[in-house]
Amino acid sequence: MVSTDPARANEPPTITAVTRRDIFTYLRGLSNPWWGQMDEVTFLEGLYDLDRPMADNSRLPTVRADIQQHRINNYDLDDDWIFEDSRLELCEGPDEVLLAFLARTVHPEAAAGVEEATKQAEELNRLLAPDGWSLRACECLSGRPLYTPIRLPPTGPLVPLPLNDDDTSKLELVLGQTYSLLDCAGEEPARDLLRTAVLTLRRDGGSFHPMPGDNWTEDTYAAVLTVERELQPTCTPEVKEVLWRTLEPLFSQLGRTDVQSLVVEGDARPLPNIPPDWRTQATAPATPLVRGLRLPFSTTEFDVTRRDFTDLEIRGAQDNSGFHYLYDTRARRMITDFVLDDRPQVATLCSVTIIKKGDTFTPRIKLWKKDKKRAGEVSATQTVPETGTTRAVKALVDTGDVHENFWKVINFLQGCTGLSTPGDSLQLVAADEAQLAQLLTGQDRTTVLGAVRTAIGGGLTEQDIRLLGNRKEQLQRFDRLLTDPDHFRQEESRATTRGAEAVWQAFFEANQWIFGYGLNLIACESIDDGKLERITTGANIFGGAGKRIDAIMRSKGLISSMLFCEIKTHETELLAKTPYRAGVYQASKELGGAVAQVQKTASKAQQLISREFLTRIYDDDGTPTGIELSTTRPRQVVVIGSLREFTHNGAVNPEKMSSFELYRTSIQDVEVITFDELYERACFIVEDH
């Protein structure tokens, strides 16, 4: 077909599948077909040897004969058939094949005119630029441009135009481009400021005064960079100049020359929680008054009665002074005191100071009571060295001089056998795991089990531990089957029944607990403690004629309901490879077939057993099992594919994801669940995450 450079024949393509998809979508949306002013055969003859015999055992000997049969005689192929035909290598092939095709679409013999060819080349270049390619007009034919593919440095993330004021996702890409440029330039202070920043656009309100020669208008915008309030002092005039010098050309490239300045702001503080009876607690001012005005007060307290500690972390000061402090990542503020008890007149607090020695941190503790009622009147106050503020103290116990002995007592109490202290079950393992393991080494199973039962309480049995351990092992196996293709192929080769579906069928037969918790919020189990895969028609558990279903289950309850399940593989495609229309993807053939299959199987089974509201299940020899099933509208589930199909380079394709969600939520009676969703549900049951 199209000849490629032998030196680059084995190089992987640099034009990604994402770029190719966007190019094909653009070409499909043009008013003229891809062959332009030519016909299909003439267009393709300039690129391919249409008379070379095909190697795919096609019934038609050549591509020319294929075109003649399906495009002219039968006319049963769409106009855009070439984008999906693997023989032409446009979707998955060398860069040179696709680039030669694109150059021919804007060739003077194909394009309707110079203006149309120029406009089409500009859009193709915009799509090719992130992957480092461009169509350049290097020669002319009868005064019209002849385009040739050339290699360029990749431009980085593609920001689709236009860039509107409220396009937060596009502004996030602009911020990412700025970060990358600053990183390459070695501008670390400006670069690090962007890690947690947010970029927005807003009218400058006339604050930018026009000067002769600039582009200021009444509609001029300002780029607003919102940073963490603690980082705002690091944005010096020099750093701000570096940021704007990098941002301004980016906005200009994106057609936003109306963005004329940069504003750096600190993020807003959360508003305090106020009780309904706050007036009765406000008999005296909580902070001193100066000339009738209350001084501003920024709290550094953390209420342990209402919050957990997952939002806290240790941070160091920006000035390299060595000072470290606790930081509330949710409220975005420094923490110096923990509220243990809060009453209308007195609050009990624990003040914590972090001291760093080498690579470790040790806490210094002060237990004190805050006089809330007489805060502005008493002379008993204390200055907080970390913040410079003062606070009214009613009582104070400082353990700073005896902190080592203080923690010895705490550690002793937590380590005492039989002594219950708040949180000691977690602290014992976390603080001295090696010591615990050493104590239990060499002990018999009964002793170890008794120690664990004493530590965590409850009626824990050896069977419980064995069951949990086995499920964690099977969870690891589940993850490996999902993420390790080589391991999956080995399992497939060892399976008694060939095929990828057989691997998953065998795995779920051995681990029915995954289905029991994973398919819905109602616990499920197999029909009669037997296999998941059953014959529902023919010589079946109900009596009748039909087919085999991958899994038939029942809900657990006083009266059970039926659930039919069709199992595919994690590699089964959820959507068609190419969009049906721009931004619209249809369900894949396998997904549509699986849904139809489980619907048909459930329908046939229901017809056979729906004479009554309840039906009984029998063994093969006719013995009743004692199980009764509700036959009203059986639940139907399809386990198929993986949501990883919708990601590329760590980013989710929103068009594909929304197309899939709209499809599966629109299907009546059938729930579509992916293998990765089933895995995460199993993780939640076993590991609580």
Side-chain angles (χ1 to χ4, degrees), residues 413-433:
L413 294 175
Q414 289 184 324
C416 288
T417 303
L419 180 63
S420 176
T421 60
D424 60 347
S425 60
L426 294 177
Q427 183 64 24
L428 179 62
V429 176
D432 202 358
E433 184 176 333

Side-chain angles (χ1 to χ4, degrees), residues 573-576 586-594:
E573 292 182 344
L574 299 172
L575 299 176
Q586 58 187 355
S588 68
K589 180 180 178 181
E590 287 294 329
L591 175 56

Side-chain angles (χ1 to χ4, degrees), residues 163-171 201 221 256:
L163 177 61
N164 298 322
D165 304 347
D166 55 352
D167 284 336
T168 55
S169 60
K170 297 179 184 179
L171 289 171
L201 299 179
Y221 280 79
R256 292 305 300 263

